[in-house]
Amino acid sequence: MNPRIHGKNVVITGASSGIGEQMAIKAAESGANLVLLARRVEKLEELKSFLESRYSNKVWIHSLDVSERENVEAVFSAIFAEAGKIDVLVNNAGFGIFEEAHLAKWGDIERMFAVNVLGLISCTQMVIEHMQKNRSGHIVNIASQAGKIATPKSSIYAATKHAVLGFSNSLRMELSTYGVFVTTVNPGPIATNFFEIADRSGTYVQNIQRFMLKPEKVAEKVVAAMLTNTREINLPRWMNAGSVFYTLFPRLVEKVGKNAFFKK
C-alpha cells in the first residue's frame, strides 16, 4: 500500500498485461484513480471491470499506440479533459526481439525504437509542463537491466533501454527544481508474455526461468515508490550488482560471462 497516491491520478501505458496490469491493481489497492492505456482496448475493458468491481476508484481507459504522435496528443488531451490532472505517469509500453544485429529485420528495429524510446519521450512531453506548473508529479520510466549491461542477441533492445536511461537521467536534473520526480525501473527478466515476442525459440526462457521475476513483485516495488524521490529501482539486486561490476571491469565481465551471455 502507498498512502501517497490515494486519490491521485496515475496514468499507465502498456497496462493491458504483465507488470502494467499488476501496477494498475496495486495502485487501485492504494486508492489511486487510474488511466489505463494500451493498444488492446478489449483487455483494458476487462481490467477496468475487474477494478471497478473491487474498488471505488475512478478508472478511465483509452486505446493508445505510443509510437503514433497524433494518437498520443489526442489521448492525453482527452485525459486532461476527463481527469483534470496527472500526478504519476508510468511509461511501461515496450517490447523487445532477441536477434543478432546482422539478422535483425529493419522493420523490427524501427518499431522497437518507435515504441521503447520515441513513444516514451512522446508521452513524457505531454505531462512535463503540466507537472512543472503544479510543481509536483512523478514520471516513472520502465527501462531494463539491459540498459546497463548489454548481452549478445539484445543489441537493438539494449540500445533502446540505454536511450531510456540517458533520457531519464537528463530529465531528472531538468525537473529537479520543480519538485517533479523521475524514476527508472531496471528489472531483469520478468515472467510475462514479453518473451512470446522477444524469445520466439523459447531457449532463453528455458535457460533463465528459475531466475525470472514475478510481475506482481515488480509492480509492488514500483507502486510503493510512487511520489517519492526514488532515482532507480533495480531488480533483482544481484543482477544490478553485476551491472555495477560490469561498469568497473567491462573486459573481465565480458570474458568471464561470455558463455552465460550466449544463452539466449
Side-chain angles (χ1 to χ4, degrees):
M1 297 290 287
N2 180 350
R4 288 176 296 273
I5 64 171
H6 185 86
K8 302 296 186 180
N9 297 335
V10 177
V11 178
I12 304 173
T13 70
S16 60
S17 64
I19 61 171
E21 178 185 40
Q22 291 299 317
M23 284 188 290
I25 295 170
K26 298 296 182 184
E29 289 175 356
S30 293
N33 300 314
L34 295 164
V35 182
L36 307 179
L37 310 174
R39 288 186 301 165
R40 299 180 295 175
V41 71
E42 68 280 358
K43 291 290 186 180
L44 293 179
E45 288 171 347
E46 292 175 9
L47 180 56
K48 175 181 167 70
S49 296
F50 172 82
L51 295 173
E52 289 182 335
S53 69
R54 287 162 175 76
Y55 310 102
S56 59
N57 326 57
K58 295 178 181 177
V59 181
W60 297 280
I61 62 172
H62 292 276
S63 176
L64 175 66
D65 183 343
V66 299
S67 68
E68 298 290 339
R69 177 68 177 192
E70 290 184 359
N71 189 195
V72 170
E73 291 176 348
V75 167
F76 274 83
S77 291
I79 293 170
F80 283 118
E82 63 195 6
K85 183 182 179 184
I86 295 175
D87 298 291
V88 181
L89 168 66
V90 183
N91 285 307
N92 174 63
F95 77 102
I97 296 176
F98 294 157
E99 189 60 271
E100 291 184 29
H102 70 289
L103 297 175
K105 295 181 176 63
W106 190 252
D108 291 339
I109 294 171
E110 288 185 320
R111 182 68 179 162
M112 269 190 274
F113 271 93
V115 174
N116 297 1
V117 183
L118 300 181
L120 179 147
I121 294 172
S122 183
C123 291
T124 300
Q125 283 190 321
M126 296 299 105
V127 305
I128 289 175
E129 290 185 359
H130 171 75
M131 290 183 175
Q132 286 176 323
K133 182 180 179 180
N134 291 326
R135 303 195 72 83
S136 68
H138 196 170
I139 298 166
V140 180
N141 293 330
I142 307 299
S144 170
Q145 285 295 323
K148 294 191 166 190
I149 178 169
T151 57
K153 295 182 71 175
S154 66
S155 56
I156 310 303
Y157 178 70
T160 68
K161 294 305 183 179
H162 274 75
V164 169
L165 290 178
F167 172 72
S168 302
N169 290 341
S170 178
L171 183 66
R172 184 181 299 108
M173 290 185 280
E174 291 178 9
L175 298 181
S176 61
T177 59
Y178 294 92
V180 178
F181 306 137
V182 177
T183 299
T184 53
V185 182
N186 306 303
I190 306 173
T192 67
N193 59 7
F194 171 90
F195 291 100
E196 292 177 8
I197 297 174
D199 178 39
R200 290 165 178 164
S201 69
T203 304
Y204 181 60
V205 171
Q206 289 177 3
N207 288 330
I208 56 88
Q209 197 163 24
R210 66 185 183 278
F211 300 117
M212 294 178 81
L213 297 163
K214 300 296 183 183
E216 56 271 22
K217 295 296 183 182
V218 178
E220 189 175 292
K221 293 284 188 181
V222 176
V223 171
M226 287 179 179
L227 295 180
T228 70
N229 192 11
T230 301
R231 188 177 192 278
E232 294 184 348
I233 297 173
N234 295 290
L235 301 166
R237 290 182 180 179
W238 64 265
M239 186 173 287
N240 187 61
S243 69
V244 173
F245 193 77
Y246 176 70
T247 302
L248 298 173
F249 308 103
R251 289 187 181 182
L252 177 61
V253 173
E254 288 173 2
K255 182 178 180 180
V256 174
K258 184 176 180 180
N259 290 335
F261 291 159
F262 273 97
K263 285 191 175 182
K264 283 196 184 71

